[in-house]
Amino acid sequence: MIKVQSKINIKSRQEKIWNFLNNISLGLSFNRFHTKINTQNSFSIDQDKNITIEHNFGFGKYDMILTLLESSPNHKIVFEEKSKVVKDELFNHKTTFTINQKTHNLSELKYIVEGTFKNKFADLSFKPILKGVMLDELIKMKLAIESSESDRNQNQYNPV
């Protein structure tokens, strides 16, 4: 079992980050292991729905089921991803995002992944890869959230 955590400050309100994360098509799309997200016409995480995510951990594409475990609006979301086919030796894991408002327009996004391939060697060799992927994902999310914030605040040029 491995546990990796990272965090980043984002120039945005807690609610905006929550809305971004809760939108499956946005929040999970920055993870490079996710090759396809099947939301079945639902764009938010819901406890009554399972979402299939096609993963590629470097050895082929496999379906995993995302299930919401905990949802505390504007603060915390926890979900797990498990192999759709039990015999597949995939990285079954739990993901936690926690959002803390630091100042009026600055929030901290904390990201934790806990999981296992059920193989100590595979877990040890995967940990540094997972750390890099998580950091890359956080940076892309930060840029997306902050750029949408700045776009909204800029006056649009009207040629008429």
Side-chain angles (χ1 to χ4, degrees), residues 6-151:
S6 192
K7 60 185 174 181
I8 196 163
N9 288 327
I10 300 175
K11 294 177 188 169
S12 186
R13 304 257 326 129
Q14 195 172 3
E15 297 81 14
K16 183 164 184 169
I17 297 169
W18 170 261
N19 289 335
F20 179 88
L21 290 174
N22 198 42
N23 182 329
I24 296 298
S25 62
L26 285 174
L28 298 178
S29 65
F30 290 99
N31 184 320
R32 76 174 81 150
F33 295 131
H34 296 166
T35 56
K36 183 179 176 186
I37 300 170
N38 182 3
T39 58
Q40 298 175 348
N41 299 326
S42 173
F43 294 101
S44 64
I45 297 175
D46 187 334
Q47 286 186 321
D48 297 332
K49 296 179 183 165
N50 289 330
I51 296 168
T52 302
I53 300 178
E54 184 180 85
H55 284 69
N56 188 345
F57 294 112
F59 45 84
K61 295 179 180 180
Y62 294 90
D63 287 340
M64 296 185 80
I65 303 297
L66 180 137
T67 306
L68 180 66
L69 299 177
E70 180 183 342
S71 178
S72 179
N74 299 330
H75 178 65
K76 184 177 186 180
I77 191 163
V78 182
F79 54 85
E80 70 179 352
E81 294 176 65
K82 289 188 174 181
S83 174
K84 191 171 188 175
V85 179
V86 177
K87 68 179 176 109
D88 290 341
E89 297 288 327
L90 300 181
F91 184 66
N92 292 328
H93 57 284
K94 180 173 87 168
T95 301
T96 304
F97 286 104
T98 307
I99 310 161
N100 294 308
Q101 191 77 43
K102 294 180 89 173
T103 64
H104 172 69
N105 201 35
L106 183 68
S107 300
E108 176 187 79
L109 178 59
K110 186 175 180 181
Y111 182 15
I112 302 171
V113 174
E114 300 171 84
T116 184
F117 279 106
K118 295 183 182 168
N119 176 311
K120 189 175 183 175
F121 177 74
D123 286 352
L124 287 173
S125 58
F126 185 63
K127 189 173 183 176
I129 295 167
L130 181 59
K131 281 182 180 182
V133 167
M134 289 172 62
L135 182 59
D136 181 59
E137 186 177 357
L138 279 175
I139 290 168
K140 288 177 180 175
M141 290 166 63
K142 171 188 172 76
L143 292 173
I145 293 166
E146 289 180 352
S147 67
S148 66
E149 185 76 23
S150 64
D151 289 347

